[in-house]
PDB file of all heavy atoms in Angstrom:
ATOM      1  N   SER A 228     -29.573  18.009-244.238  1.00 90.00           N
ATOM      2  CA  SER A 228     -30.521  17.207-243.478  1.00 90.00           C
ATOM      3  C   SER A 228     -29.843  16.705-242.211  1.00 90.00           C
ATOM      4  O   SER A 228     -28.674  16.330-242.214  1.00 90.00           O
ATOM      5  CB  SER A 228     -31.023  16.029-244.317  1.00 90.00           C
ATOM      6  OG  SER A 228     -29.951  15.214-244.731  1.00 90.00           O
ATOM      7  N   ARG A 229     -30.590  16.722-241.124  1.00 92.00           N
ATOM      8  CA  ARG A 229     -30.101  16.287-239.811  1.00 92.00           C
ATOM      9  C   ARG A 229     -28.777  16.969-239.474  1.00 92.00           C
ATOM     10  O   ARG A 229     -27.721  16.348-239.361  1.00 92.00           O
ATOM     11  CB  ARG A 229     -29.961  14.760-239.768  1.00 92.00           C
ATOM     12  CG  ARG A 229     -31.273  14.030-239.966  1.00 92.00           C
ATOM     13  CD  ARG A 229     -31.111  12.542-239.736  1.00 92.00           C
ATOM     14  NE  ARG A 229     -30.656  12.252-238.371  1.00 92.00           N
ATOM     15  CZ  ARG A 229     -31.443  12.225-237.293  1.00 92.00           C
ATOM     16  NH1 ARG A 229     -32.739  12.472-237.424  1.00 92.00           N
ATOM     17  NH2 ARG A 229     -30.950  11.947-236.111  1.00 92.00           N
ATOM     18  N   VAL A 230     -28.848  18.260-239.338  1.00 93.00           N
ATOM     19  CA  VAL A 230     -27.650  19.066-239.069  1.00 93.00           C
ATOM     20  C   VAL A 230     -27.038  18.659-237.731  1.00 93.00           C
ATOM     21  O   VAL A 230     -27.746  18.284-236.784  1.00 93.00           O
ATOM     22  CB  VAL A 230     -28.017  20.565-239.084  1.00 93.00           C
ATOM     23  CG1 VAL A 230     -28.919  20.924-237.929  1.00 93.00           C
ATOM     24  CG2 VAL A 230     -26.778  21.429-239.073  1.00 93.00           C
ATOM     25  N   ASN A 231     -25.705  18.678-237.673  1.00 93.00           N
ATOM     26  CA  ASN A 231     -25.031  18.385-236.420  1.00 93.00           C
ATOM     27  C   ASN A 231     -24.002  19.463-236.127  1.00 93.00           C
ATOM     28  O   ASN A 231     -23.824  20.407-236.907  1.00 93.00           O
ATOM     29  CB  ASN A 231     -24.382  16.994-236.443  1.00 93.00           C
ATOM     30  CG  ASN A 231     -23.352  16.859-237.534  1.00 93.00           C
ATOM     31  OD1 ASN A 231     -22.395  17.635-237.605  1.00 93.00           O
ATOM     32  ND2 ASN A 231     -23.529  15.888-238.416  1.00 93.00           N
ATOM     33  N   ARG A 232     -23.295  19.309-235.008  1.00 93.00           N
ATOM     34  CA  ARG A 232     -22.374  20.351-234.554  1.00 93.00           C
ATOM     35  C   ARG A 232     -21.210  20.579-235.520  1.00 93.00           C
ATOM     36  O   ARG A 232     -20.629  21.665-235.549  1.00 93.00           O
ATOM     37  CB  ARG A 232     -21.849  19.995-233.168  1.00 93.00           C
ATOM     38  CG  ARG A 232     -20.996  18.745-233.122  1.00 93.00           C
ATOM     39  CD  ARG A 232     -20.917  18.172-231.741  1.00 93.00           C
ATOM     40  NE  ARG A 232     -22.219  17.676-231.299  1.00 93.00           N
ATOM     41  CZ  ARG A 232     -22.447  17.137-230.111  1.00 93.00           C
ATOM     42  NH1 ARG A 232     -21.458  17.043-229.244  1.00 93.00           N
ATOM     43  NH2 ARG A 232     -23.642  16.714-229.778  1.00 93.00           N
ATOM     44  N   LEU A 233     -20.894  19.565-236.345  1.00 91.00           N
ATOM     45  CA  LEU A 233     -19.815  19.737-237.317  1.00 91.00           C
ATOM     46  C   LEU A 233     -20.204  20.697-238.430  1.00 91.00           C
ATOM     47  O   LEU A 233     -19.332  21.235-239.119  1.00 91.00           O
ATOM     48  CB  LEU A 233     -19.419  18.385-237.908  1.00 91.00           C
ATOM     49  CG  LEU A 233     -18.873  17.355-236.915  1.00 91.00           C
ATOM     50  CD1 LEU A 233     -18.532  16.057-237.634  1.00 91.00           C
ATOM     51  CD2 LEU A 233     -17.655  17.897-236.189  1.00 91.00           C
ATOM     52  N   HIS A 234     -21.498  20.916-238.636  1.00 92.00           N
ATOM     53  CA  HIS A 234     -21.955  21.873-239.642  1.00 92.00           C
ATOM     54  C   HIS A 234     -21.933  23.308-239.124  1.00 92.00           C
ATOM     55  O   HIS A 234     -22.118  24.247-239.900  1.00 92.00           O
ATOM     56  CB  HIS A 234     -23.383  21.534-240.086  1.00 92.00           C
ATOM     57  CG  HIS A 234     -23.494  20.225-240.795  1.00 92.00           C
ATOM     58  ND1 HIS A 234     -24.323  19.209-240.368  1.00 92.00           N
ATOM     59  CD2 HIS A 234     -22.874  19.757-241.899  1.00 92.00           C
ATOM     60  CE1 HIS A 234     -24.216  18.178-241.179  1.00 92.00           C
ATOM     61  NE2 HIS A 234     -23.345  18.484-242.114  1.00 92.00           N
ATOM     62  N   MET A 235     -21.734  23.493-237.838  1.00 92.00           N
ATOM     63  CA  MET A 235     -21.783  24.838-237.266  1.00 92.00           C
ATOM     64  C   MET A 235     -20.606  25.669-237.760  1.00 92.00           C
ATOM     65  O   MET A 235     -19.473  25.186-237.862  1.00 92.00           O
ATOM     66  CB  MET A 235     -21.774  24.758-235.740  1.00 92.00           C
ATOM     67  CG  MET A 235     -21.886  26.111-235.050  1.00 92.00           C
ATOM     68  SD  MET A 235     -22.525  26.013-233.362  1.00 92.00           S
ATOM     69  CE  MET A 235     -21.399  24.864-232.607  1.00 92.00           C
ATOM     70  N   GLY A 236     -20.889  26.918-238.107  1.00 92.00           N
ATOM     71  CA  GLY A 236     -19.839  27.820-238.570  1.00 92.00           C
ATOM     72  C   GLY A 236     -20.382  28.847-239.543  1.00 92.00           C
ATOM     73  O   GLY A 236     -21.594  29.000-239.717  1.00 92.00           O
ATOM     74  N   ALA A 237     -19.477  29.556-240.205  1.00 94.00           N
ATOM     75  CA  ALA A 237     -19.837  30.633-241.128  1.00 94.00           C
ATOM     76  C   ALA A 237     -19.845  30.115-242.566  1.00 94.00           C
ATOM     77  O   ALA A 237     -18.922  29.419-242.990  1.00 94.00           O
ATOM     78  CB  ALA A 237     -18.860  31.795-241.000  1.00 94.00           C
ATOM     79  N   TYR A 238     -20.893  30.468-243.302  1.00 95.00           N
ATOM     80  CA  TYR A 238     -21.034  30.121-244.709  1.00 95.00           C
ATOM     81  C   TYR A 238     -21.045  31.413-245.525  1.00 95.00           C
ATOM     82  O   TYR A 238     -21.651  32.416-245.104  1.00 95.00           O
ATOM     83  CB  TYR A 238     -22.320  29.334-244.955  1.00 95.00           C
ATOM     84  CG  TYR A 238     -22.298  27.951-244.346  1.00 95.00           C
ATOM     85  CD1 TYR A 238     -22.495  27.767-242.979  1.00 95.00           C
ATOM     86  CD2 TYR A 238     -22.067  26.826-245.130  1.00 95.00           C
ATOM     87  CE1 TYR A 238     -22.468  26.500-242.414  1.00 95.00           C
ATOM     88  CE2 TYR A 238     -22.035  25.555-244.583  1.00 95.00           C
ATOM     89  CZ  TYR A 238     -22.245  25.399-243.222  1.00 95.00           C
ATOM     90  OH  TYR A 238     -22.200  24.145-242.675  1.00 95.00           O
ATOM     91  N   LEU A 239     -20.398  31.402-246.689  1.00 95.00           N
ATOM     92  CA  LEU A 239     -20.302  32.579-247.551  1.00 95.00           C
ATOM     93  C   LEU A 239     -21.111  32.361-248.814  1.00 95.00           C
ATOM     94  O   LEU A 239     -20.910  31.372-249.529  1.00 95.00           O
ATOM     95  CB  LEU A 239     -18.842  32.864-247.911  1.00 95.00           C
ATOM     96  CG  LEU A 239     -17.902  33.195-246.753  1.00 95.00           C
ATOM     97  CD1 LEU A 239     -16.484  33.377-247.276  1.00 95.00           C
ATOM     98  CD2 LEU A 239     -18.365  34.436-246.018  1.00 95.00           C
ATOM     99  N   CYS A 240     -22.031  33.287-249.072  1.00 95.00           N
ATOM    100  CA  CYS A 240     -22.760  33.330-250.345  1.00 95.00           C
ATOM    101  C   CYS A 240     -22.012  34.328-251.232  1.00 95.00           C
ATOM    102  O   CYS A 240     -21.930  35.512-250.912  1.00 95.00           O
ATOM    103  CB  CYS A 240     -24.198  33.763-250.105  1.00 95.00           C
ATOM    104  SG  CYS A 240     -25.031  34.427-251.565  1.00 95.00           S
ATOM    105  N   ILE A 241     -21.451  33.842-252.364  1.00 96.00           N
ATOM    106  CA  ILE A 241     -20.624  34.666-253.243  1.00 96.00           C
ATOM    107  C   ILE A 241     -21.330  34.824-254.583  1.00 96.00           C
ATOM    108  O   ILE A 241     -21.662  33.831-255.236  1.00 96.00           O
ATOM    109  CB  ILE A 241     -19.230  34.038-253.447  1.00 96.00           C
ATOM    110  CG1 ILE A 241     -18.560  33.801-252.100  1.00 96.00           C
ATOM    111  CG2 ILE A 241     -18.365  34.922-254.329  1.00 96.00           C
ATOM    112  CD1 ILE A 241     -17.283  32.998-252.192  1.00 96.00           C
ATOM    113  N   ALA A 242     -21.576  36.083-254.997  1.00 97.00           N
ATOM    114  CA  ALA A 242     -22.243  36.379-256.269  1.00 97.00           C
ATOM    115  C   ALA A 242     -21.265  37.072-257.210  1.00 97.00           C
ATOM    116  O   ALA A 242     -20.566  38.002-256.817  1.00 97.00           O
ATOM    117  CB  ALA A 242     -23.473  37.258-256.037  1.00 97.00           C
ATOM    118  N   SER A 243     -21.238  36.628-258.472  1.00 96.00           N
ATOM    119  CA  SER A 243     -20.347  37.230-259.471  1.00 96.00           C
ATOM    120  C   SER A 243     -20.985  37.111-260.851  1.00 96.00           C
ATOM    121  O   SER A 243     -21.713  36.153-261.130  1.00 96.00           O
ATOM    122  CB  SER A 243     -18.973  36.540-259.457  1.00 96.00           C
ATOM    123  OG  SER A 243     -19.114  35.160-259.718  1.00 96.00           O
ATOM    124  N   ASN A 244     -20.715  38.089-261.703  1.00 95.00           N
ATOM    125  CA  ASN A 244     -21.224  38.069-263.088  1.00 95.00           C
ATOM    126  C   ASN A 244     -20.194  38.581-264.091  1.00 95.00           C
ATOM    127  O   ASN A 244     -20.549  38.966-265.207  1.00 95.00           O
ATOM    128  CB  ASN A 244     -22.518  38.884-263.199  1.00 95.00           C
ATOM    129  CG  ASN A 244     -22.313  40.356-262.881  1.00 95.00           C
ATOM    130  OD1 ASN A 244     -21.235  40.763-262.450  1.00 95.00           O
ATOM    131  ND2 ASN A 244     -23.351  41.162-263.087  1.00 95.00           N
ATOM    132  N   GLY A 245     -18.931  38.603-263.705  1.00 94.00           N
ATOM    133  CA  GLY A 245     -17.894  39.084-264.598  1.00 94.00           C
ATOM    134  C   GLY A 245     -17.667  40.571-264.533  1.00 94.00           C
ATOM    135  O   GLY A 245     -16.730  41.085-265.158  1.00 94.00           O
ATOM    136  N   ILE A 246     -18.520  41.287-263.830  1.00 94.00           N
ATOM    137  CA  ILE A 246     -18.375  42.741-263.661  1.00 94.00           C
ATOM    138  C   ILE A 246     -17.882  42.978-262.235  1.00 94.00           C
ATOM    139  O   ILE A 246     -18.595  42.692-261.272  1.00 94.00           O
ATOM    140  CB  ILE A 246     -19.707  43.477-263.893  1.00 94.00           C
ATOM    141  CG1 ILE A 246     -20.363  43.020-265.192  1.00 94.00           C
ATOM    142  CG2 ILE A 246     -19.478  44.982-263.874  1.00 94.00           C
ATOM    143  CD1 ILE A 246     -19.521  43.245-266.426  1.00 94.00           C
ATOM    144  N   PRO A 247     -16.667  43.453-262.082  1.00 92.00           N
ATOM    145  CA  PRO A 247     -16.146  43.624-260.718  1.00 92.00           C
ATOM    146  C   PRO A 247     -16.852  44.765-259.996  1.00 92.00           C
ATOM    147  O   PRO A 247     -17.338  45.704-260.640  1.00 92.00           O
ATOM    148  CB  PRO A 247     -14.664  43.947-260.957  1.00 92.00           C
ATOM    149  CG  PRO A 247     -14.604  44.510-262.342  1.00 92.00           C
ATOM    150  CD  PRO A 247     -15.693  43.844-263.123  1.00 92.00           C
ATOM    151  N   PRO A 248     -16.947  44.642-258.663  1.00 94.00           N
ATOM    152  CA  PRO A 248     -16.394  43.558-257.856  1.00 94.00           C
ATOM    153  C   PRO A 248     -17.435  42.487-257.567  1.00 94.00           C
ATOM    154  O   PRO A 248     -18.633  42.765-257.571  1.00 94.00           O
ATOM    155  CB  PRO A 248     -16.003  44.276-256.566  1.00 94.00           C
ATOM    156  CG  PRO A 248     -17.062  45.334-256.420  1.00 94.00           C
ATOM    157  CD  PRO A 248     -17.410  45.780-257.824  1.00 94.00           C
ATOM    158  N   SER A 249     -16.967  41.252-257.308  1.00 95.00           N
ATOM    159  CA  SER A 249     -17.857  40.220-256.784  1.00 95.00           C
ATOM    160  C   SER A 249     -18.192  40.564-255.337  1.00 95.00           C
ATOM    161  O   SER A 249     -17.423  41.235-254.652  1.00 95.00           O
ATOM    162  CB  SER A 249     -17.193  38.849-256.864  1.00 95.00           C
ATOM    163  OG  SER A 249     -16.926  38.496-258.207  1.00 95.00           O
ATOM    164  N   VAL A 250     -19.326  40.099-254.883  1.00 96.00           N
ATOM    165  CA  VAL A 250     -19.766  40.411-253.520  1.00 96.00           C
ATOM    166  C   VAL A 250     -20.105  39.108-252.790  1.00 96.00           C
ATOM    167  O   VAL A 250     -20.374  38.084-253.416  1.00 96.00           O
ATOM    168  CB  VAL A 250     -20.989  41.353-253.511  1.00 96.00           C
ATOM    169  CG1 VAL A 250     -20.615  42.723-254.025  1.00 96.00           C
ATOM    170  CG2 VAL A 250     -22.123  40.776-254.328  1.00 96.00           C
ATOM    171  N   SER A 251     -20.079  39.180-251.476  1.00 96.00           N
ATOM    172  CA  SER A 251     -20.408  38.004-250.674  1.00 96.00           C
ATOM    173  C   SER A 251     -21.153  38.437-249.425  1.00 96.00           C
ATOM    174  O   SER A 251     -21.057  39.587-248.985  1.00 96.00           O
ATOM    175  CB  SER A 251     -19.136  37.242-250.285  1.00 96.00           C
ATOM    176  OG  SER A 251     -18.320  38.031-249.444  1.00 96.00           O
ATOM    177  N   LYS A 252     -21.888  37.484-248.876  1.00 96.00           N
ATOM    178  CA  LYS A 252     -22.581  37.708-247.609  1.00 96.00           C
ATOM    179  C   LYS A 252     -22.280  36.527-246.697  1.00 96.00           C
ATOM    180  O   LYS A 252     -22.278  35.372-247.129  1.00 96.00           O
ATOM    181  CB  LYS A 252     -24.094  37.839-247.805  1.00 96.00           C
ATOM    182  CG  LYS A 252     -24.833  38.094-246.499  1.00 96.00           C
ATOM    183  CD  LYS A 252     -26.311  38.321-246.699  1.00 96.00           C
ATOM    184  CE  LYS A 252     -27.000  38.572-245.353  1.00 96.00           C
ATOM    185  NZ  LYS A 252     -28.442  38.835-245.511  1.00 96.00           N
ATOM    186  N   ARG A 253     -22.020  36.830-245.429  1.00 96.00           N
ATOM    187  CA  ARG A 253     -21.664  35.812-244.442  1.00 96.00           C
ATOM    188  C   ARG A 253     -22.903  35.424-243.645  1.00 96.00           C
ATOM    189  O   ARG A 253     -23.564  36.268-243.041  1.00 96.00           O
ATOM    190  CB  ARG A 253     -20.583  36.367-243.510  1.00 96.00           C
ATOM    191  CG  ARG A 253     -19.982  35.393-242.533  1.00 96.00           C
ATOM    192  CD  ARG A 253     -18.836  36.100-241.818  1.00 96.00           C
ATOM    193  NE  ARG A 253     -18.098  35.230-240.929  1.00 96.00           N
ATOM    194  CZ  ARG A 253     -18.336  35.100-239.625  1.00 96.00           C
ATOM    195  NH1 ARG A 253     -19.324  35.812-239.076  1.00 96.00           N
ATOM    196  NH2 ARG A 253     -17.608  34.298-238.876  1.00 96.00           N
ATOM    197  N   VAL A 254     -23.218  34.138-243.680  1.00 96.00           N
ATOM    198  CA  VAL A 254     -24.365  33.615-242.944  1.00 96.00           C
ATOM    199  C   VAL A 254     -23.847  32.643-241.894  1.00 96.00           C
ATOM    200  O   VAL A 254     -23.157  31.671-242.220  1.00 96.00           O
ATOM    201  CB  VAL A 254     -25.360  32.909-243.884  1.00 96.00           C
ATOM    202  CG1 VAL A 254     -26.529  32.346-243.092  1.00 96.00           C
ATOM    203  CG2 VAL A 254     -25.857  33.873-244.958  1.00 96.00           C
TER     204      VAL A 254
END
Side-chain angles (χ1 to χ4, degrees):
S228 59
R229 298 187 60 80
V230 67
N231 60 56
R232 65 200 66 181
L233 298 179
H234 295 123
M235 183 157 55
Y238 292 77
L239 298 177
C240 159
I241 304 171
S243 59
N244 63 353
I246 311 301
S249 298
V250 292
S251 64
K252 181 176 180 178
R253 187 174 185 266
V254 179

